[in-house]
């Protein structure tokens, strides 16, 4: 079964994303390791990807997204960052599958709705109040 993947070195952000997506009934894997996502992309098990821009230790989510795009193609993909004006973010905006740069802070329910609209066709057609109520 395909899952939504979150890569972030901030454990609190991973927990927030996990709670928000599971509350809406969706499988999610939140992790600090891009290696886990790479394996899911190789195996066709990644339905969507939320990638942190600053992964720590000098690593950038942009590099991974660029590489994965050329190796596997991207599922619907977002980069989440507190520095949305970073120059290298422009490099990924035109990649097939890349959806948007999400600026921190953000409204978690809006992000969940955007991801689910891209991943679950019926989520986009349900009225907003029904989506928020979880019906």
């Amino acid at each position: 079964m395909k899952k939504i993947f979150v890569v972030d070195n901030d454990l609190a952000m991973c927990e927030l994303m996990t709670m928000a997506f599971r509350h809406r009934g969706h499988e999610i894997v939140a992790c600090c390791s891009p290696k886990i996502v790479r394996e899911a992309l190789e195996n066709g098990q990644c339905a969507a990807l939320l990638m942190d821009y600053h992964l720590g230790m000098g690593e950038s989510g942009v590099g991974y997204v660029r590489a994965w795009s050329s190796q596997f193609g991207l599922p619907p993909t977002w980069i989440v960052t507190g520095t949305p004006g970073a120059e290298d973010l422009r490099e990924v905006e035109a990649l097939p599958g890349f959806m948007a740069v999400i600026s921190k802070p953000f409204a978690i329910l809006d992000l969940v709705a955007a991801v689910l609209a891209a991943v679950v066709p019926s989520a986009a057609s349900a009225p907003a109040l029904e989506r928020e109520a979880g019906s």
Side-chain angles (χ1 to χ4, degrees):
M1 174 192 224
K2 289 187 175 188
K3 298 177 182 175
I4 297 166
F5 283 79
V6 173
V7 178
D8 201 310
N9 62 328
D10 180 347
L11 293 178
M13 182 62 71
C14 287
E15 289 177 16
L16 174 66
M17 295 280 201
T18 298
M19 287 188 316
F21 281 97
R22 285 191 179 151
H23 176 73
R24 294 294 306 272
H26 291 275
E27 290 278 341
I28 183 165
V29 175
C31 58
C32 298
S33 173
K35 181 180 178 183
I36 293 170
V37 175
R38 185 184 198 296
E39 290 171 8
L41 289 167
E42 276 185 86
N43 298 323
Q45 296 303 309
C46 184
L49 173 61
L50 293 149
M51 173 67 80
D52 188 27
Y53 177 69
H54 297 286
L55 294 172
M57 306 292 285
E59 290 189 294
S60 168
V62 167
Y64 287 103
V65 168
R66 249 192 337 253
W68 293 337
S69 175
S70 65
Q71 292 172 348
F72 314 109
L74 294 175
T77 299
W78 293 260
I79 289 184
V80 181
T81 181
T83 54
E87 191 69 30
D88 59 347
L89 286 170
R90 293 190 187 123
E91 298 172 21
V92 296
E93 290 177 343
L95 295 175
F98 188 78
M99 305 302 283
V101 173
I102 305 297
S103 299
K104 292 179 184 176
F106 56 87
I108 187 68
L109 295 179
D110 291 344
L111 178 59
V112 169
V115 172
L116 295 182
V119 174
V120 183
S122 62
S125 61
L129 291 177
E130 285 182 8
R131 284 196 313 260
E132 290 305 315
S135 46

